[in-house]
Amino acid sequence: MAVETATYSLEGLQERLAEHRKCFDSLVELIPAKYYLARDDDAPTGKYMHNKKNKAPKQVVKEATKKAKKAKLDPENVKSVLDIQTETLATSEAAQEDGGEPASADDVDHMEGLAPLPTGSIVELQEKLKSRIQELRTKRKAPTGTVDGEAPKSRQEILEKRAKRKRERKEGIKQKKEKRRKLDDTKGMAIDGPSKMDTKANGGSKAIKEDVTFGKLDFGIAEVAKKRKGPTDLTGQLKQAEAKKQKLEKLKQVDKEKAETIEEAAVWNKLLKQAEGEKVKDDLKLLKKSVKRKEKSKEKSATTWSNRQAQVKKEQEERQKKREENLKARQEARNAPKGSKGKKDKGKKPRPGFEGGVRKKGGKP
Amino acid sequence: MGRRRKRRTHVKTDEAAAAKVPKSFVIKSGVVGRSLSLLVKDVRKTMEPNTALRLRERKGNKLKDFLHVAGQLSVTHLLIFSKTSAGINLRIGRIPRGPTLTFRVNSYALTPDVLALQSRPKSPGTEFNSAPLVVLNNFGGDAKHVKLMATMFQNLFPPIQVQTMKLADARRVILFNLNSETGEIEFRHYCIRVKVTGVSKSVKTIIQTDVPDLRRYDDISDYILRGAFASESDVEDNGEATVTLPQKYIGKGNRQAEQRAIRLVEMGPRMQMSLLKIQAGMCDGEVLYHSLVQKTPAEIKEQDQRRKKSEAERARRRAEQEKNVAKKQAAKGAAEGEDVDEKSDSDDYSLEDEELEEEEEDDMHEDQS
């Protein structure tokens, strides 16, 4: 209890404070000045700078570093944190006395090492921040929220606005298209109205009729798709042509005029087809002729084929017969008594390399 | 390693497609004279490249000879020029079984004559390496003979292969213009040229030719700024004949998507002709249309009878011939080793046929006159 009362009593406060200060100072003294105080020139270390190399002559740089090292070792130059602080305090006091006014913002910045906490109220700071932001916005020409009423407050709002704008644009295009469609169907297309062109070009005179046709076009696909009508074989075509002729003749007996018109149309149709290069096979005479020719050729090929077959068979039989004969002869030769051949020369010594036969039986393969 | 194949330069010809291309013989028949022979040459030139440009005809060559050769060479059309006392005839026939259109050539101008009219005629280049485009004017009527003429003219030239054709292949135009009042057909042959438009004459010269003639000028600016305006034809058609080239074209600077004007320069020959008659066969057969002779039903009947009679006569002769041949064969069988000249028999046939044809032709001539 005594201690508590002692702490709160005003007596000996000065001493106590001095004692505390001494304690703190001793603690602070333990920390090297370079770690305790933030130095301005520390920030750009030059480690990552692009052109960090000193442009000064090498000799000068060397000497300077040597001096700096020596100075570092000098105990006079080693200043504790307290020494530095007292020094700066003294200089600032002297400046205050000279100017007679409180330190400006710049000074505060400069003295950050001394007073880490910035001065000024929170309102002031907020104001400062706001003004700085505004300045930067104007610099990058950021969109101000004055046009569409208020500036968008959230991301969601921005997205909504964008979607709305898109919708509006699409609708506008649609309306425009519809309008155009109502106005004129062919507007914007590459075709020019033939009727308009004609009346304009001819000046209303109908005497000159433009009627131009061009050569044939071959698309290359239609031909394949086109299927042939009617029979494709000659006999079938012949039958069809005959039937047609008979029908026409019958009609002739009943209604001659109609038959004639039909006949004429058929003739002209045939001519057109022929002019296009199509073969029209409706001539009875020619059809009969070609049918006959085909039959003849078939007949001929049939006879040659049967001849050939007979010939092959005959040859085969002959060969078979000959083979059998040969086999028979060999068999007979084998069955004949063995020594019959050599009997004649028995007693005579065979000449070497001539009448041998030893080799045949055995010896080398 | 496989063999190297030159696919770009050695393109194999598609035989099926080649068979479809119409080919033609342009010939003269009988004594026609020098001028008409030149016309035959000119017409052959227009029918290039699917024609026999240097076809040699002899006096002895008959129509039959050409027909025989045509089948072998897959020639599809025959254009025959002939001269009669009435005038010059041109027969255009489809091989082998017609139809045949006979035209009367009222007047004609040869290629040199046409070129002589031009102040600066161009000498032909590679125009004749590709087939011409066909333009038919006024052939859209309902009349059957007009329709047939149109199809005949269209099929005289190869069709435009839509998928494979290049713009640079379109070099010439052949125009058939039918005058519906007189029924006369004008035949014209043009060369397609593309020209720069919308610039002054001097700039055009610089664009189109390599070096302009600058002898009279101190500086190129003098040349360009002189009072040379766009050509008359440029102003006349006020840009209607201007096209954007869809592909590159022959000539300097005619690249794709370039603005150019199309000009047709006449090359000749010219012909004015009118349709005389249409025959069903190849230079024979029934006359289905005649511009001068209108036959009454009675006349037609009479002609029919005459034809029947001649046919009967022919059949009778044939039967007689066959009988003779049979007799000869029998004789040959009897007397062995004796050769019978069969060739002479066949000659007899052809001779008879020719005689008949000549008779028919005589009939036709009578019809015409």
Side-chain angles (χ1 to χ4, degrees):
Chain A
M1 287 295 263
V3 180
E4 276 182 24
T5 50
T7 49
Y8 288 112
S9 65
L10 285 169
E11 289 165 34
L13 182 69
Q14 210 87 42
E15 280 168 43
R16 265 183 283 147
L17 278 177
E19 211 172 316
H20 285 311
R21 191 188 161 195
K22 215 176 170 184
C23 177
F24 279 121
D25 281 349
S26 65
L27 280 174
V28 168
E29 201 98 328
L30 291 173
I31 305 167
K34 68 171 178 180
Y35 295 122
Y36 190 78
L37 296 173
R39 270 192 346 222
D40 285 348
D41 55 329
D42 259 2
T45 50
K47 195 179 175 186
Y48 306 108
M49 301 295 262
H50 177 63
N51 202 8
K52 59 173 184 174
K53 221 171 191 183
N54 209 336
K55 291 276 164 64
K58 223 173 189 180
Q59 194 57 36
V60 178
V61 172
K62 263 187 183 174
E63 273 171 17
T65 48
K66 227 178 199 177
K67 255 184 199 170
K69 268 184 186 172
K70 267 190 182 167
K72 217 168 131 190
L73 292 173
D74 190 11
E76 287 288 306
N77 280 339
V78 178
K79 280 177 184 166
S80 69
V81 176
L82 286 177
D83 291 337
I84 295 165
Q85 279 182 340
T86 47
E87 240 173 60
T88 48
L89 200 65
T91 50
S92 70
E93 267 172 3
Q96 237 172 0
E97 273 166 20
D98 287 345
E101 52 182 31
S104 65
D106 280 350
D107 285 336
V108 169
D109 274 351
H110 189 69
M111 290 196 299
E112 247 174 0
L114 264 179
L117 263 178
T119 56
S121 69
I122 193 146
V123 183
E124 251 175 64
L125 283 173
Q126 275 176 345
E127 216 127 273
K128 199 184 162 196
L129 178 68
K130 234 179 194 174
S131 70
R132 179 81 179 138
I133 287 171
Q134 195 57 40
E135 191 189 314
L136 287 172
R137 275 173 75 88
T138 50
K139 203 176 172 189
R140 73 176 160 95
K141 286 164 190 163
T144 50
T146 50
V147 181
D148 276 1
E150 284 175 26
K153 268 160 197 160
S154 66
R155 187 178 155 73
Q156 187 64 28
E157 228 168 283
I158 293 169
L159 289 177
E160 270 174 15
K161 231 177 206 175
R162 211 178 279 168
K164 195 187 164 196
R165 224 182 298 147
K166 204 175 173 185
R167 252 196 331 267
E168 275 171 2
R169 219 185 72 215
K170 266 192 177 172
E171 266 172 24
I173 290 168
K174 222 179 190 178
Q175 278 179 353
K176 231 184 221 174
K177 264 188 185 171
E178 227 156 80
K179 216 174 171 184
R180 203 161 57 179
R181 203 177 299 146
K182 275 176 192 167
L183 217 74
D184 185 4
D185 267 357
T186 54
K187 201 171 182 184
M189 292 183 196
I191 347 156
D192 31 25
S195 56
K196 273 188 201 169
M197 282 288 291
D198 276 1
T199 49
K200 266 184 195 172
N202 298 341
S205 68
K206 284 169 191 172
I208 305 159
K209 200 172 66 183
E210 293 229 346
D211 175 20
V212 180
T213 39
F214 300 97
K216 273 203 311 177
L217 297 178
D218 188 354
F219 294 99
I221 323 153
E223 311 265 319
V224 182
K226 202 177 168 189
K227 241 188 176 181
R228 285 201 66 171
K229 234 169 144 187
T232 48
D233 62 318
L234 277 172
T235 45
Q237 279 166 343
L238 179 61
K239 265 182 194 168
Q240 199 192 28
E242 272 175 343
K244 224 179 210 174
K245 202 187 171 190
Q246 273 183 357
K247 210 174 168 187
L248 203 68
E249 251 153 37
K250 255 186 196 169
L251 191 66
K252 233 178 214 171
Q253 285 166 358
V254 182
D255 189 351
K256 207 177 178 185
E257 270 185 30
K258 197 182 174 189
E260 267 171 7
T261 51
I262 286 172
E263 205 176 2
E264 210 196 341
V267 166
W268 280 98
N269 199 17
K270 185 189 169 185
L271 282 197
L272 276 176
K273 274 184 182 171
Q274 279 183 328
E276 276 170 15
E278 213 174 298
K279 275 180 185 169
V280 184
K281 291 176 179 174
D282 68 342
D283 193 332
L284 282 180
K285 219 167 147 191
L286 286 171
L287 273 172
K288 270 179 192 163
K289 212 174 164 185
S290 48
V291 165
K292 201 176 172 186
R293 199 196 314 127
K294 199 159 195 189
E295 270 176 6
K296 273 265 170 72
S297 76
K298 264 191 179 171
E299 213 173 273
K300 200 187 165 196
S301 80
T303 51
T304 46
W305 176 240
S306 63
N307 280 349
R308 174 159 171 71
Q309 269 187 324
Q311 177 74 11
V312 165
K313 206 179 172 188
K314 196 178 148 200
E315 276 176 4
Q316 207 176 9
E317 273 169 3
E318 268 177 13
R319 267 184 278 137
Q320 187 67 20
K321 200 177 156 194
K322 198 175 182 190
R323 182 168 179 264
E324 267 164 16
E325 270 175 15
N326 287 345
L327 283 174
K328 210 175 169 187
R330 200 181 288 175
Q331 193 69 29
E332 273 173 10
R334 207 176 286 163
N335 288 348
K338 263 190 179 173
S340 62
K341 200 185 169 189
K343 248 184 183 174
K344 289 173 195 168
D345 330 310
K346 215 182 177 183
K348 208 178 181 184
K349 201 184 172 189
R351 291 169 298 165
F354 286 95
E355 283 90 13
V358 183
R359 269 199 171 172
K360 254 185 210 164
K361 278 166 192 167
K364 279 182 189 171
Chain B
M1 277 279 279
R3 192 163 63 86
R4 187 195 165 201
R5 279 167 217 284
K6 291 182 166 183
R7 286 194 181 77
R8 195 165 53 81
T9 52
H10 290 62
V11 183
K12 268 187 189 171
T13 51
D14 188 1
E15 282 191 14
K20 261 193 251 167
V21 171
K23 295 178 183 172
S24 56
F25 276 157
V26 184
I27 56 173
K28 47 185 190 267
S29 126
V31 182
V32 293
R34 194 168 161 272
S35 182
L36 197 54
S37 311
L38 289 173
L39 181 64
V40 167
K41 258 186 189 171
D42 286 349
V43 171
R44 275 183 195 169
K45 198 87 176 137
T46 64
M47 303 297 292
E48 276 275 88
N50 299 314
T51 191
L53 189 63
R54 279 174 287 181
L55 183 69
R56 300 264 177 243
E57 308 152 84
R58 291 180 187 181
K59 244 183 208 169
N61 285 140
K62 291 262 154 35
L63 176 61
K64 229 179 201 176
D65 304 336
F66 291 107
L67 291 183
H68 278 306
V69 179
Q72 296 270 318
L73 300 171
S74 69
V75 173
T76 56
H77 288 85
L78 207 56
L79 283 77
I80 309 161
F81 283 92
S82 56
K83 201 175 186 180
T84 66
S85 55
I88 298 161
N89 287 352
L90 165 63
R91 278 177 288 176
I92 302 177
R94 179 114 197 173
I95 297 167
R97 305 205 187 287
T100 309
L101 312 186
T102 308
F103 298 92
R104 168 71 39 85
V105 180
N106 301 324
S107 63
Y108 63 89
L110 300 174
T111 305
D113 304 335
V114 172
L115 292 181
L117 288 175
Q118 294 166 6
S119 59
R120 226 173 284 164
K122 290 269 187 320
S123 53
T126 53
E127 284 92 354
F128 295 103
N129 293 352
S130 57
L133 308 177
V134 190
V135 179
L136 303 169
N137 189 30
N138 227 352
F139 276 85
D142 282 334
K144 285 165 190 162
H145 66 278
V146 175
K147 235 183 228 174
L148 186 67
M149 269 198 289
T151 28
M152 204 67 182
F153 289 143
Q154 277 181 333
N155 285 281
L156 206 53
F157 302 96
I160 294 166
Q161 304 286 339
V162 175
Q163 287 175 337
T164 55
M165 190 189 168
K166 287 175 198 152
L167 186 68
D169 287 344
R171 304 293 304 281
R172 296 183 290 138
V173 171
I174 283 183
L175 170 71
F176 294 97
N177 179 35
L178 178 66
N179 188 338
S180 48
E181 280 170 21
T182 58
E184 204 174 49
I185 298 158
E186 281 175 283
F187 170 93
R188 296 287 156 92
H189 183 214
Y190 298 97
C191 178
I192 300 170
R193 292 195 191 281
V194 298
K195 289 269 157 71
V196 179
T197 46
V199 291
S200 73
K201 202 180 167 192
S202 40
V203 174
K204 201 187 278 182
T205 317
I206 289 170
I207 291 171
Q208 287 194 328
T209 62
D210 289 326
V211 186
D213 186 3
L214 295 173
R215 272 176 302 177
R216 282 182 287 148
Y217 306 95
D218 296 330
D219 195 70
I220 186 104
S221 59
D222 294 345
Y223 175 73
I224 290 170
L225 296 173
R226 88 208 141 110
F229 303 108
S231 70
E232 232 171 78
S233 54
D234 259 8
V235 182
E236 266 172 17
D237 66 22
N238 58 55
E240 267 178 33
T242 309
V243 292
T244 310
L245 293 180
Q247 285 175 14
K248 67 176 181 182
Y249 195 72
I250 308 288
K252 199 188 168 200
N254 296 331
R255 273 170 259 112
Q256 192 184 354
E258 211 67 39
Q259 280 273 331
R260 290 287 184 270
I262 304 286
R263 298 266 179 278
L264 294 184
V265 181
E266 187 161 6
M267 297 172 89
R270 281 182 196 174
M271 279 193 279
Q272 260 86 299
M273 51 198 190
S274 40
L275 183 67
L276 257 190
K277 64 174 174 180
I278 295 172
Q279 282 170 294
M282 179 68 221
C283 294
D284 59 5
E286 196 186 348
V287 178
L288 292 161
Y289 170 86
H290 206 295
S291 65
L292 305 175
V293 182
Q294 301 294 330
K295 279 189 176 165
T296 59
E299 278 175 329
I300 291 171
K301 205 174 176 183
E302 195 195 311
Q303 196 186 15
D304 210 29
Q305 275 178 350
R306 206 163 55 204
R307 185 182 291 140
K308 268 181 188 164
K309 200 175 154 192
S310 71
E311 262 174 29
E313 181 73 8
R314 188 194 273 180
R316 190 192 60 74
R317 279 204 300 258
R318 174 153 293 169
E320 196 183 307
Q321 184 70 19
E322 268 168 14
K323 218 165 87 184
N324 287 342
V325 169
K327 213 195 267 177
K328 257 189 184 175
Q329 292 277 11
K332 184 191 164 195
E336 283 174 9
E338 202 174 316
D339 256 27
V340 179
D341 198 355
E342 284 191 9
K343 207 184 166 195
S344 66
D345 290 347
S346 64
D347 277 351
D348 286 351
Y349 281 131
S350 63
L351 273 174
E352 274 167 22
D353 286 351
E354 268 175 16
E355 275 167 25
L356 276 175
E357 268 175 17
E358 274 168 22
E359 276 169 26
E360 276 174 11
E361 270 187 14
D362 287 347
D363 286 350
M364 298 301 170
H365 284 303
E366 279 167 29
D367 290 345
Q368 282 170 27
S369 51

